[in-house]
Amino acid sequence: MKVILVYWSGTGNTEAMAQVVAEGVQAQGGEVALFTAGEFDVDMAGFFNAIAFGCPSMGSEELEESEFAPMFAAREPELKDKPIALFGSYGWGDGEWMCTWADTCKSNGAILACEPVICNEAPDEDALAQCKALGGALVLAGK
């Protein structure tokens, strides 16, 4: 079971979450490849069984616009029937960006392996436990 994990992080909070999601994938016996949105080549997705996307809330509760959003938009047509998971941090607002993002994925036919994980600012122990569980759930959904 191969999982690709693609994220964007401005302050390091979403990156910390990504590291723990990767640990959750490995703990469930999956292989994981971790990439920032800038490193990720859109042709890579076809080589993996499942994908985790991580992005913090930016601006007016939206995905980061310069790197992450364009990369994600390029992936949207391929999300149909693909197990995915979403995670990210925020510093203001109430998490609306994640609800909108999850709805977009569902409307594209993606299979959400579990509920998205969000945290306010730096992830606490509870958020990190949720991230680890998210990684494990993604492995199980991709089998």
Side-chain angles (χ1 to χ4, degrees), residues 3-8 33-48 50-53 67-68 70-76 78-79 82:
V3 174
I4 194 163
L5 201 155
V6 184
Y7 71 95
W8 187 92
L34 193 65
F35 297 97
T36 66
E39 297 169 332
F40 182 62
D41 179 338
V42 293
D43 295 328
M44 295 175 177
F47 298 103
F48 295 88
I51 303 174
F53 293 104
E67 285 185 35
F68 193 89
M71 176 280 304
F72 186 76
R75 294 276 47 89
E76 282 186 65
E78 298 169 12
L79 295 180
K82 188 76 136 177

Side-chain angles (χ1 to χ4, degrees), residues 11-89:
T11 63
N13 294 335
T14 302
E15 181 177 14
M17 295 173 79
Q19 295 293 335
V20 178
V21 170
E23 291 172 14
V25 169
Q26 293 168 333
Q28 196 64 32
E31 295 177 42
V32 65
L34 193 65
F35 297 97
T36 66
E39 297 169 332
F40 182 62
D41 179 338
V42 293
D43 295 328
M44 295 175 177
F47 298 103
F48 295 88
N49 304 94
I51 303 174
F53 293 104
C55 186
S57 172
M58 303 294 288
S60 179
E61 293 228 39
E62 55 199 17
L63 298 174
E64 189 278 328
E65 296 176 324
S66 65
E67 285 185 35
F68 193 89
M71 176 280 304
F72 186 76
R75 294 276 47 89
E76 282 186 65
E78 298 169 12
L79 295 180
K80 185 170 175 38
D81 300 325
K82 188 76 136 177
I84 68 164
L86 306 174
F87 63 94
S89 62

Side-chain angles (χ1 to χ4, degrees), residues 96-135:
E96 180 184 342
W97 105 101
M98 187 60 76
C99 294
T100 302
W101 191 14
D103 288 346
T104 297
C105 293
K106 289 175 190 174
S107 71
N108 285 320
I111 302 165
L112 290 179
C114 62
E115 288 296 312
V117 175
I118 63 173
C119 68
N120 186 272
E121 304 293 346
D124 60 14
E125 287 184 33
D126 183 52
L128 293 175
Q130 290 178 44
C131 287
K132 190 166 187 176
L134 182 145

